[in-house]
């Protein structure tokens, strides 16, 4: 798979949606017997239409060397738990192993976001998770990958801030 400007995606800030989709699709690939059950509870986004788009999505995330998130994303991931106890345990065990060498969790304190007028406004408009991710992308000079088109308008904060929809990056 060849993505234009792929080096830009070696280290990215990733929103909850694409991260959760990556974990879900990766899990059902390694545990195919759970596919129907897991996808009935964790539905892939509408741009994952078939096995080809699923494969492209996963191949892209395999090429990313470092996924940066905030602790707010961890909270959102936890809130998406809808599987039975046994499958849930297997899913999280797999997810931790999958992310062990890729994930960098950065602390973006809510208090600090509230001290800056721009980020305080972001807090009110998009919430702490997205405000933290935008702040982290700006600080780390990384692309923020999301499936939330509302975040695109916040690129005006900084001419060097890059927010991209994962479906556009992958041309899905």
């Amino acid at each position: 798979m060849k993505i234009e400007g792929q080096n830009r995606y070696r280290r990215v800030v990733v929103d909850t949606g694409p991260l959760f989709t990556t974990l879900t699709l990766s899990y059902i690939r390694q545990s195919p017997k759970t596919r129907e059950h897991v996808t009935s509870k964790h539905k892939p986004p509408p741009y994952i239409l078939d096995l080809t788009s699923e494969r492209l999505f996963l191949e892209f995330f395999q090429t990313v060397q470092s996924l940066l998130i905030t602790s707010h994303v961890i909270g959102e991931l936890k809130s998406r738990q809808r599987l039975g106890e046994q499958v849930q345990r297997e899913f999280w065990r797999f997810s931790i192993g999958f992310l062990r060498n890729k994930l960098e969790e950065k602390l973006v304190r809510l208090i600090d976001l509230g001290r800056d007028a721009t980020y305080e406004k972001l807090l009110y408009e998009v919430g702490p998770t997205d405000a933290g991710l935008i702040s982290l992308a700006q600080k780390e000079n990384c692309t923020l990958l999301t499936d939330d088109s509302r975040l695109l308008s916040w690129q005006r904060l900084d001419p060097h801030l890059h927010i991209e929809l994962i479906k556009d990056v992958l041309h899905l």
Side-chain angles (χ1 to χ4, degrees):
M1 175 180 55
K2 183 73 172 150
I3 302 289
E4 191 175 315
Q6 192 156 0
N7 284 338
R8 176 172 59 189
Y9 304 113
R10 294 285 182 210
R11 187 168 190 257
V12 298
V13 174
V14 64
D15 199 355
T16 309
L19 180 61
F20 193 69
T21 299
T22 300
L23 296 175
T24 299
L25 295 177
S26 296
Y27 175 72
I28 61 177
R29 283 278 171 110
Q30 70 87 37
S31 184
K33 67 183 181 340
T34 65
R35 178 180 279 278
E36 189 174 317
H37 174 69
V38 171
T39 57
S40 73
K41 306 290 184 181
H42 298 172
K43 296 198 183 319
Y47 55 84
I48 305 287
L49 301 171
D50 53 27
L51 292 175
T52 300
S53 55
E54 181 180 303
R55 181 184 51 76
L56 289 172
F57 185 91
L58 289 173
E59 284 176 1
F60 172 77
F61 276 97
Q62 287 171 351
T63 67
V64 174
Q65 292 174 352
S66 184
L67 300 170
L68 284 78
I69 63 166
T70 67
S71 53
H72 303 103
V73 169
I74 298 299
E76 284 191 342
L77 286 174
K78 185 170 177 8
S79 73
R80 295 181 180 213
Q81 294 184 20
R82 295 186 189 106
L83 302 171
E85 187 177 327
Q86 179 62 32
V87 175
Q88 192 71 44
R89 187 177 10 259
E90 291 171 10
F91 174 80
W92 288 114
R93 186 176 296 126
F94 168 82
S95 296
I96 290 167
F98 178 84
L99 294 171
R100 185 166 280 122
N101 296 319
K102 272 189 187 273
L103 189 69
E104 289 183 51
E105 184 180 352
K106 302 283 186 168
L107 179 62
V108 177
R109 295 175 1 138
L110 186 62
I111 285 280
D112 295 335
L113 290 172
R115 288 185 180 138
D116 179 292
T118 301
Y119 288 109
E120 183 179 42
K121 182 177 178 173
L122 262 172
L123 278 169
Y124 299 143
E125 292 190 24
V126 299
T129 301
D130 292 338
L133 290 170
I134 290 169
S135 171
L136 182 59
Q138 195 171 33
K139 286 177 190 165
E140 297 286 333
N141 195 27
C142 292
T143 299
L144 167 56
L145 294 176
T146 185
D147 52 14
D148 184 351
S149 59
R150 297 172 303 153
L151 294 183
L152 294 175
S153 66
W154 291 99
Q155 291 190 88
R156 69 182 185 278
L157 291 175
D158 179 341
H160 303 292
L161 179 61
H162 299 284
I163 302 173
E164 297 186 46
L165 295 174
I166 188 66
K167 68 178 185 152
D168 294 343
V169 170
L170 300 176
H171 308 292
L172 298 176

